[in-house]
Amino acid sequence: MPKLQPRLAAGASLIGTTIEYYDFFVYATAAALVFNKVFFPGLGEFGGTLASLSTFAVAFFFRPLGGIVIGHFGDKIGRRPMLILTLTMMGIATVLIGLLPTYAAIGVAAPILLVVLRAVQGFALGGEYGGAVVLTMEHSPVQRRGFFGSFTTAGGPLALVLATLVFIPITAMPEEALLSWGWRIPFILSAVLIFLGFYLRRTIEESPAFTEVQQSGKADRSPALTIVRKYPLRSLIIAGITLSAGVSFYVLAVFGLSYGTTTVGFSRQTMLQIIMVTMIFAFVFIVAAGRLSDRIGRPKCIVGGMVGLALWAFPWLWLVGTGNAWLALLACIVLCIPLALNMGVMGVFLAECFPPEVRYAGISIGYTIGLIVGSGLAPLIATTLSKEYGPHAVSWYLVAMSVISLFSVGALMRTRGHTAVDRDAVDQPYGDAVGAPRPGSTVA
């Protein structure tokens, strides 16, 4: 394996994932701040916020479909072409949202079209994360999979930083300008980013593991069907594992933004700045967590992260609720430490649960199922809980998700042959502390 390829794969995955998640988080930011007035003006502030956050959730219901379809073809015709496809679909949908007429212009057709384009975004992103993780880890030496694989996950916080940087000057605009045309700018800017991502992804070679599967004649004829038929329990367990990190991240990034501005009383500028600085720290923590997982093992990192998220759930909202910007920032940064231990390791940990011939489909299906019941509904559930029962209910929600994820990790670790062997795992030296498959493992 050329020594340069792991770095190129990690870099291209980081930039490509950053661009796709930029598109996703631009929508999330707009949904939290302006879509209630632009597309749902007759529902009032709380009703409009719920409606706009509901359109945010729509994408997560289409992500499993994207995971099934794109993951299926990712295992049949290659990881790289599918990642180019997801990037293109996401970029086009995002630009079209930026050009969409408002409710005032075309009435109820506006939110309907918004939902359709949001569904396209969800379909594309359903095949993005799993493919980016798989392509990167299959280019990486087994003893450094955690480190290189973490860059794919780190694209999420980096994307949120980029989206926030774009929104900060826009939200400082006069209200009339912001609601009429200012909110469109971040969406239309996606047209520039998509060309950069397209170029970078074309520079990466197909993964060695996929190439070997194709050349050996061991390619699976129906990867998605194989996952449903052979690994149904494992897919559900993986969905459970994703709940803690997914819910915590979207509660922090989306609900936290809305809660801080509408309930606590922070200005939109202040909350955007808090989220942006927090995500810079999250980027660093995620890469560090990936490196740590190569030393002590991925399960230890993930479990430590889940326990940390449960323990910090109450202090986080208490400190944000003080109305002190510095305490809110500190609370969010500390939350990112256990979040990074979980998120930064999860991609490679889950990808190692499947053999190369069905790996893209396997991680995509299991991961996106978890996103439906977790991440997609998290801002909506958190907003409703906070409104009806107070912010402490949101903390209990985070604790409950961590408990479910902890039980899911335990269930996976008790599954026979829960890690898979591929060419890299056999050919590369294996250290006792590395959280990757040992030669000789079997897949249930």
Side-chain angles (χ1 to χ4, degrees):
M1 180 190 305
K3 291 184 177 180
L4 190 58
Q5 276 301 307
R7 294 176 175 82
L8 287 175
S13 290
L14 170 65
I15 295 173
T17 304
T18 298
I19 292 170
E20 288 214 46
Y21 275 91
Y22 163 83
D23 293 345
F24 207 72
F25 288 134
V26 158
Y27 189 100
T29 305
L33 297 179
V34 300
F35 278 0
N36 58 332
K37 298 177 182 177
V38 173
F39 291 103
F40 307 98
L43 299 180
E45 181 154 346
F46 178 68
T49 298
L50 282 183
S52 64
L53 291 178
S54 296
T55 65
F56 173 77
V58 163
F60 289 88
F61 288 91
F62 283 86
R63 284 178 74 165
L65 180 60
I68 292 171
V69 175
I70 297 173
H72 172 85
F73 286 103
D75 284 323
K76 283 184 68 72
I77 66 176
R79 286 69 161 114
R80 193 182 73 159
M82 290 299 100
L83 288 173
I84 292 174
L85 174 65
T86 63
L87 184 68
T88 305
M89 289 179 64
M90 176 66 82
I92 292 174
T94 303
V95 172
L96 289 177
I97 289 174
L99 300 174
L100 198 62
T102 65
Y103 185 92
I106 60 173
V108 72
I112 291 175
L113 290 173
L114 181 68
V115 169
V116 170
L117 292 173
R118 185 63 177 157
V120 174
Q121 282 190 320
F123 183 90
L125 203 58
E128 162 64 26
Y129 179 76
V133 168
V134 168
L135 183 66
T136 302
M137 69 164 281
E138 289 181 346
H139 270 298
S140 305
V142 68
Q143 65 268 43
R144 301 197 71 192
R145 276 181 171 178
F147 172 68
F148 286 117
S150 68
F151 282 92
T152 300
T153 304
L158 191 59
L160 193 50
V161 171
L162 185 60
T164 304
L165 279 173
V166 173
F167 257 102
I168 284 176
I170 290 173
T171 54
M173 297 171 62
E175 184 87 357
E176 183 178 351
L178 171 65
L179 297 179
S180 63
W181 58 270
W183 66 269
R184 301 179 183 277
I185 296 174
F187 291 91
I188 296 173
L189 282 177
S190 181
V192 177
L193 296 175
I194 189 174
F195 288 109
L196 173 63
F198 184 85
Y199 169 76
L200 288 171
R201 287 200 162 164
R202 285 182 59 87
T203 64
I204 303 302
E205 298 176 3
E206 188 54 83
S207 84
F210 175 80
T211 301
E212 182 171 294
V213 167
Q214 294 294 102
Q215 292 175 348
S216 66
K218 297 179 180 178
D220 195 292
R221 297 178 63 181
S222 303
L225 184 60
T226 296
I227 293 298
V228 174
R229 185 182 67 249
K230 191 174 181 181
Y231 302 98
L233 179 59
R234 188 168 304 186
S235 297
L236 292 176
I237 290 173
I238 285 174
I241 291 173
T242 67
L243 292 179
S244 180
V247 168
S248 297
F249 184 83
Y250 283 97
V251 166
L252 169 63
V254 182
F255 164 77
L257 184 59
S258 176
Y259 173 73
T261 54
T262 61
T263 303
V264 179
F266 289 117
S267 68
R268 286 180 297 201
Q269 293 279 307
T270 298
M271 279 308 302
L272 285 172
Q273 289 166 2
I274 288 173
I275 296 297
M276 181 184 69
V277 174
T278 298
M279 289 301 111
I280 293 173
F281 278 92
F283 175 87
V284 176
F285 293 156
I286 284 173
V287 175
R291 182 68 175 271
L292 180 64
S293 76
D294 287 328
R295 295 178 177 273
I296 69 172
R298 285 175 256 294
K300 292 179 181 178
C301 287
I302 288 178
V303 168
M306 291 172 180
V307 172
L309 287 171
L311 292 176
W312 193 247
F314 283 94
W316 169 57
L317 274 178
W318 287 339
L319 290 171
V320 172
T322 64
N324 183 297
W326 290 106
L327 289 178
L329 176 61
L330 175 64
C332 293
I333 291 174
V334 173
L335 183 70
C336 282
I337 297 174
L339 185 60
L341 282 171
N342 199 333
M343 287 180 60
V345 175
M346 185 178 298
V348 175
F349 178 70
L350 298 183
E352 287 173 342
C353 292
F354 299 98
E357 58 268 23
V358 294
R359 181 172 285 157
Y360 197 152
I363 184 176
S364 296
I365 292 172
Y367 181 76
T368 53
I369 289 174
L371 291 176
I372 289 182
V373 297
S375 306
L377 295 175
L380 187 62
I381 291 174
T383 300
T384 303
L385 288 174
S386 179
K387 176 74 173 180
E388 295 296 325
Y389 305 105
H392 67 278
V394 179
S395 298
W396 280 117
Y397 173 44
L398 297 179
V399 170
M401 294 301 102
S402 291
V403 171
I404 293 173
S405 292
L406 280 169
F407 277 108
S408 298
V409 171
L412 179 65
M413 300 303 291
R414 289 193 296 270
T415 303
R416 181 177 64 87
H418 64 272
T419 52
V421 172
D422 58 28
R423 183 185 63 81
D424 288 340
V426 174
D427 293 348
Q428 299 287 341
Y430 184 92
D432 287 342
V434 180
R438 287 183 179 276
S441 298
T442 58
V443 179

